[in-house]
Amino acid sequence: MTRFRRITNCTIVTPTGTAAQHGAAMGHLTTITDAEIHIADERIAYAGSAEAAPQAPEEGVTMLPDIDARGCVVLPGFVDSHTHLVFGGLRADEFKMRLNGASYMEIMNAGGGIQSTVNATRGADHSDLYDKALYHLKQMSAMGITTVEAKSGYGLSLDTERKLLEIISELRSSSVPMTVVATMMAAHAVPAEYNGDTEAYVDHIIADMLPQLRSLADICDVFTERGVFEIEASRRLMSAAKALGYKLKFHADEITTLGGAELAVELGALSADHLLHVGDKGVKALAASDTVATLLPLTAFALKEPYAPARRLIDAGAAVALATDFNPGSCYSYSIPLLIALACIYMNMTIEEVITALTLNGAAALGLAADTGSIEVGKYADLAILNTSNINDLPYFIGINQVGTTVYHGSAVGVDHTPTLP
Ligand code: NIG
Ligand code: FE
C-alpha cells in the first residue's frame, strides 16, 4: 500500500455481491450508520461502523486527508451501462418533428434518424468528437457516475467505426477519472450505401469489422429490430462475435416484440436492453438467466413510449439494471436524477431496487461486478457521496443532482457538486 484515506462520518448504503442481484434480492441493501470507509490505494480496505474500524496505518504510507461525509449517505458510484457517447451533430429538428407527431421509425425510414448522425459523425474531425464526449463525461462524473459504457455505431464503416473506438479508448486515459468500457456497435443501422442489403452489410461486419476491431472493444452490440437487424441476421452476427471472444449486448424489443430478449439469453449475453415491448417469453427467459435486463426510462420518456415492465421483470426474478442510453436521437439525456425519479414514479421500482439497478446490476451488465458496483472490501473505491442522509430524497428531489462528491478509485473527482440543503 502506498496511499491511504478515510471517508468518515457517513451512512453506507449498498447492495452486496460480485454478481447481479435478481428479483426480490434487488431490494435488499445493507445500511450502516455512523460508518467509515478506508481506502488503500484504489480499493476499499474497510467499510463498516466507525467504532469497529481498524487504526489507520502509521508509517510508510502517504496519508490523504479524510473526507468528512457529514452524516450523509455514501452509495457505490453509479454505472451507466448503456450510452452512445461519441457522435457528431445534433437532432433537435427531429425532436421537434416528434413533438409534432412523427414517430421515431417514420423519421428513420425517411432518411433521418441514425443515418443523419452517421453523416455528421463521418464528417466530424477527431478532436471535435473527442472534446464533445469529454464534456459529457465531466457532467456525468458530477452526477456520481464512475463507470460508463460507450458504444461506437455512428460510423458504420471499418475506418469510421475504428475512429470512434479509438476516441473511446483515448477517453479512458483522459482528465476525467472514470472507467470507460468500449462496445462495438457497427450493427446499429444498415448504412445508406448498402441500399438496404442487410445480409451484405452483416457479411462485411463478420468478415472485416469484428476481427479487425476486436482489440479496441470487448463487447459487441446489435439493434435487433423489425426492419433493422431481424432475429436471424442478429443471431448470425452475434454468434460470430461470440466466437471471437466478444461479450454480447442487445438492443432488444425496443419498438416491436421481436424476441430479442430470448435471443440474448440463448447466446448468453451480458444484457438485453430497452425491452419496452418484451413479451412474456422474453420475461421468462430473462428471469431464468444471468442476462441482465437493462431498462432505459429516459428514452421511453423522450419518445413518449410506455415504460419497460420493470415490475413484471423483477417480480418474475430477473436482474434489472438502469442506464441512460444517452444518444443524439431517441434520448439526449444522461440525467441520473431524472432517471431515478422516472423509475420510481412510472416504473414502480422502489428506491432500493433503483440503487441496485444503477450500481451492482449495471456493473454486472458490463461484466465488472467483481470489481465495482458495491461498497465492499476488495472492490474499487468508486463512490457517490450524497448531500443527504436519506435515500428517499433521491426520487423526491426530482431531477436535482444530490451527489456532493464523486470518488473514483479512491480519488475525489469533484467536491461539492451540489451542496447540502441548509
Ligand atoms: O438506443 N435504438 C437504437 N439506438 C439508439 C438510438 C440511436 C439514435 O436514434 O441515434 C437507442 O435508442
Ligand atoms: Fe441504445
Side-chain angles (χ1 to χ4, degrees):
M1 188 201 329
T2 58
R3 279 186 319 150
F4 183 86
R5 104 171 310 159
R6 289 187 302 202
I7 296 171
T8 56
N9 196 14
C10 63
T11 298
I12 297 171
V13 178
T14 183
T16 50
T18 52
Q21 293 290 357
H22 287 245
M26 283 184 63
H28 301 158
L29 300 180
T30 297
T31 300
I32 309 169
T33 52
D34 299 316
E36 251 176 41
I37 299 170
H38 294 189
I39 302 164
D41 295 327
E42 300 188 324
R43 292 185 187 259
I44 297 167
Y46 174 79
S49 78
E51 228 174 22
Q55 290 295 310
E58 271 166 19
E59 47 198 45
V61 174
T62 307
M63 295 291 291
L64 298 175
D66 289 349
I67 298 177
D68 180 358
R70 295 164 300 178
C72 291
V73 166
V74 181
L75 299 177
F78 297 128
V79 178
D80 188 352
S81 64
H82 182 141
T83 84
H84 304 254
L85 180 70
V86 190
F87 55 84
L90 294 170
R91 279 154 54 198
D93 47 346
E94 201 179 279
F95 185 77
K96 191 169 179 184
M97 285 163 75
R98 281 209 310 277
L99 293 180
N100 289 329
S103 76
Y104 180 79
M105 273 314 205
E106 275 163 11
I107 292 169
M108 184 152 164
N109 293 332
I114 294 172
Q115 183 65 43
S116 73
T117 298
V118 169
N119 299 341
T121 305
R122 286 178 177 176
D125 57 62
H126 191 105
S127 65
D128 181 43
L129 294 170
Y130 176 88
D131 291 347
K132 289 199 164 91
L134 188 61
Y135 171 93
H136 299 311
L137 286 187
K138 283 184 192 155
Q139 314 296 316
M140 290 174 166
S141 175
M143 287 186 283
I145 295 176
T146 50
T147 302
V148 69
E149 183 249 22
K151 305 175 196 295
S152 68
Y154 291 116
L156 309 188
S157 70
L158 179 59
D159 287 346
T160 51
E161 286 291 301
R162 183 186 286 118
K163 172 169 92 171
L164 296 179
L165 290 169
E166 281 171 354
I167 290 169
I168 292 167
S169 141
E170 287 164 31
L171 288 167
R172 204 170 286 143
S173 40
S174 76
S175 57
V176 182
M178 198 185 284
T179 297
V180 182
V181 177
T183 294
M184 205 289 273
M185 197 177 179
H188 196 190
V190 178
E193 58 272 22
Y194 276 80
N195 295 313
D197 191 345
T198 308
E199 292 310 309
Y201 183 54
V202 170
D203 287 344
H204 173 49
I205 299 176
I206 292 176
D208 305 306
M209 297 207 220
L210 285 176
Q212 294 189 50
L213 301 177
R214 179 67 187 83
S215 63
L216 290 166
D218 281 333
I219 304 177
C220 181
D221 197 341
V222 58
F223 188 11
T224 299
E225 187 52 62
R226 178 159 295 132
V228 192
F229 299 93
E230 302 223 3
I231 293 292
E232 272 322 306
S234 299
R235 182 183 279 114
R236 189 158 80 84
L237 171 78
M238 295 300 255
S239 302
K242 188 175 176 175
L244 288 172
Y246 285 95
K247 292 176 227 156
L248 310 181
K249 284 183 168 292
F250 286 76
H251 281 61
D253 303 319
E254 178 182 358
I255 294 160
T256 55
T257 308
L258 202 65
E262 293 93 307
L263 181 62
V265 171
E266 174 191 316
L267 294 178
L270 286 174
S271 70
D273 300 30
H274 282 291
L275 303 172
L276 302 187
H277 296 278
V278 65
D280 288 339
K281 279 191 196 149
V283 171
K284 256 196 187 148
L286 287 164
S289 77
D290 287 330
T291 299
V292 175
T294 300
L295 311 183
L296 312 164
L298 292 166
T299 309
F301 175 68
L303 293 177
K304 290 208 237 180
E305 290 291 329
Y307 291 87
R311 277 266 59 90
R312 247 169 78 213
L313 285 157
I314 296 172
D315 294 344
V320 166
L322 289 163
T324 66
D325 193 25
F326 173 55
N327 76 74
S330 62
C331 182
Y332 194 99
S333 179
Y334 36 72
S335 173
I336 293 289
L338 180 59
L339 182 157
I340 292 172
L342 295 177
C344 290
I345 297 171
Y346 291 112
M347 295 161 92
N348 298 316
M349 291 175 72
T350 66
I351 185 59
E352 290 81 4
E353 289 167 344
V354 167
I355 289 170
T356 300
L358 269 176
T359 58
L360 183 66
N361 284 10
L366 296 175
L368 299 177
D371 270 323
T372 193
S374 64
I375 304 177
E376 292 179 273
V377 172
K379 287 206 184 184
Y380 284 121
D382 295 346
L383 309 167
I385 305 178
L386 304 187
N387 60 6
T388 173
S389 56
N390 183 1
I391 55 169
N392 294 321
D393 287 345
L394 287 168
Y396 169 56
F397 292 174
I398 296 171
I400 298 172
N401 189 25
Q402 288 164 79
V403 175
T405 302
T406 306
V407 174
Y408 177 72
H409 284 22
S411 298
V413 182
V415 178
D416 270 352
H417 301 309
T418 313
T420 307
L421 185 69

